[in-house]
Structures are given as structure tokens and as C-alpha cells.
Amino acid sequence: RPGIPVVKGDPKYGGSWTFTATATFNQHDMHTALAATVFHVMGERTLELDEWTGDLRPNVAESWEAVDATTMVLNIRPGIQTHDRAPWNGREFDAEDVAFNLNRTIGLTADKEGIPLTAFQRASTLAGMESAEATDSHTVTVKMARPTSTFFKGLTEIRNQLMPKEVVDIGFADPLKLGGFGPYMITEFDSGVKEVYTKHPNYYRAGEPYFDKFQRNVVPDASASVAAFISKQTSVFGGSKQDIATISAANKSANLYEYTGVNWFHIRPNVQ
């Protein structure tokens, strides 16, 4: 694509990808958290959107079919292995897990768990969905209360990362007890200091991930973040033109990439 840098040669495996964050993740239940969670690193989405065309792309569901106006069948990719941590111990992530996530996202387990229905604020991403059922180990049948044009968008929603169904029994107080099936498994969590994730050796995407370790270091001060990048304590930094000028003068080996903004900017008073 025009304007996109191309790096010659074959990818190299190993090493760490480290960056600064303003805080460690504070909530760990993907279905009720108000912001990002460890499952953004440890999980995956049912489907994805192609970054350039916006077309639907298979992921955990490798194919799908609309049976009629209110019935959807999702065919789940076989052979997805969970992290090697009890109680999952590398078991297959299957249709029951996907159905669990879809049902819990819309709040169908709220009464049973004693959680307010309003806590499941991402239910609106799957508006119109009535229920999801695993009809066999690799098939999920979704029933809709009404036809909707937004259901697929909900399956690709970045905040609808999938979790193994046992997570409710484990609880969400200690992230080090949690497991997923994504590219990395959490191995260290020092609240307010850092998070460390190590490579999942049985990740279902062939050849991924490239790095052996992924780390988030809490550096809430902007100038300290610049200093950390200059001293090569972190792998990436995004900031103002003044920051870029400072970095360019101090670290001649740094690569600068510019692109159209993909996030929103907002003011949040009283963030507590």
C-alpha cells in the first residue's frame, strides 16, 4: 500500500516488546470492565475486520452462516489451545466457550451471578441477540430476537475479547490466576508497577507471536516516558512534536512512523 513502510528481510523471533502505561489494568472481567483488561493481551475476538477494507475476517469462528432472518450459525475453529494453567491446562477452546461469552456479554448470567444487569454495558454491541447455544463442540447457534445489521460488528468489537468459561469460577480478583488462549499468558502482575506476559507456545495462529515477552511498565510521567524510550527501556513511544524532536536528537537509531490518528481525544474530569 502506498506510504506504508516495508522492512526487507525475514522477521526475527525472540526478545521483548515493552512500552509505558499510565497504570496497570484495574479490572479483569472482560464483560463488565469499564476499560481495557488483561484479556486484551490474553484473549481474541470471535471475528475480525480487515484493517484496510473493513471486510469480515475469520478468527475464532472460521466461518458463519445465516440460516434464516433470526438464526446464525458460527463454526468454531478446531484445535485452539488454552494456556497451560489450571484449571484449563491447555484444553481446547471450543463452542461452549464462545456461547458462554456471547450469553454473558448480553447479561444472561447476571441474576445467577448476582451482578446488576447494567454492569454488562457491552450488551448493546450484540443488540438483538436472544441466546447462543453450543450445538456441538465446534458449532454455536445464535438466536436473534429480531434481525439486526449490527451483530457482526459486535463480534468484531475490540472490547469483546473472549475468555474461557471457567473464569467466573476462578474469579477476577487475582489476574495471575486467569488464563486465556491468546498470544500471551500473564506471568507477573505488580499493581501500579508493571505487567509481564510470556509467549503462548501453542497459539493457534501459525508463526505468531514474534516476541517471547510482552511487558507494560507503569510510567505515569510524560517526561519519564521519553527518557525511558531514549535509554531503550521501552520499544515504542508516541508523543508530541516536541517529544519527537527530543528523541530524534538523543537516539539516532529510532524509527519515526507517522499516520492518521486512530483514536479520540477527550477530557475526563474526576477520573476516580
Side-chain angles (χ1 to χ4, degrees):
R1 240 181 124 83
I4 304 302
V6 175
V7 179
K8 296 180 180 180
D10 296 326
K12 294 180 180 180
Y13 285 86
S16 301
W17 178 260
T18 305
F19 72 96
T20 57
T22 55
T24 46
F25 293 133
N26 293 316
Q27 296 173 297
H28 311 300
D29 182 349
M30 193 69 253
H31 299 147
T32 62
L34 298 176
T37 80
V38 294
F39 285 100
H40 277 98
V41 182
M42 302 198 302
E44 286 285 353
R45 289 169 285 173
T46 308
L47 297 173
E48 295 180 327
L49 293 176
D50 184 272
E51 289 83 359
W52 302 114
T53 66
D55 293 339
L56 279 173
R57 186 168 68 200
N59 193 26
V60 173
E62 60 180 0
S63 62
W64 52 91
E65 178 186 2
V67 178
D68 55 46
T70 56
T71 306
M72 176 70 61
V73 171
L74 303 173
N75 299 307
I76 307 306
R77 183 190 302 270
I80 297 177
Q81 292 187 43
T82 54
H83 296 157
D84 189 12
R85 170 175 287 168
W88 302 283
N89 301 317
R91 71 159 178 84
E92 185 177 36
F93 188 91
D94 60 16
E96 287 192 5
D97 292 289
V98 176
F100 155 78
N101 279 270
L102 297 181
N103 287 326
R104 194 167 182 267
T105 297
I106 65 173
L108 292 186
T109 65
D111 288 343
K112 181 180 178 180
E113 294 184 55
I115 299 175
L117 183 61
T118 51
F120 297 91
Q121 73 275 11
R122 299 198 230 295
S124 60
T125 65
L126 298 175
M129 185 186 130
E130 195 170 71
S131 65
E133 179 185 2
T135 48
D136 62 45
S137 60
H138 298 111
T139 306
V140 175
T141 300
V142 178
K143 293 291 185 181
M144 309 296 292
R146 61 185 184 277
T148 175
S149 62
T150 62
F151 181 67
F152 282 117
K153 183 64 174 69
L155 296 182
T156 66
E157 164 63 52
I158 192 66
R159 293 165 294 182
N160 284 344
Q161 303 288 331
L162 303 175
M163 306 183 292
K165 59 181 181 290
E166 295 91 346
V167 291
V168 173
D169 299 324
I170 298 299
F172 300 97
D174 184 358
L176 291 176
K177 292 182 179 180
L178 297 172
F181 62 96
Y184 294 95
M185 178 174 73
I186 189 166
T187 50
E188 293 182 49
F189 186 88
D190 189 353
S191 182
V193 179
K194 68 177 179 179
E195 302 161 18
V196 178
Y197 304 80
T198 54
K199 181 177 181 177
H200 177 23
N202 297 314
Y203 185 45
Y204 66 94
R205 291 191 184 188
E208 297 182 38
Y210 293 104
F211 295 99
D212 291 333
K213 185 171 73 172
F214 173 74
Q215 184 165 329
R216 301 175 78 246
N217 293 333
V218 174
V219 184
D221 180 74
S223 60
S225 294
V226 173
F229 181 77
I230 290 173
S231 60
K232 299 184 180 180
Q233 297 177 53
T234 55
S235 308
V236 63
F237 176 84
S240 67
K241 289 185 177 181
Q242 181 179 349
D243 294 331
I244 292 170
T246 301
I247 290 170
S248 298
N251 186 347
K252 301 297 183 182
S253 64
N255 294 316
L256 174 62
Y257 295 92
E258 294 180 301
Y259 57 92
T260 302
V262 293
N263 209 332
W264 60 90
F265 297 89
H266 51 273
I267 297 174
R268 295 192 300 171
N270 190 22
V271 294
Q272 295 180 346

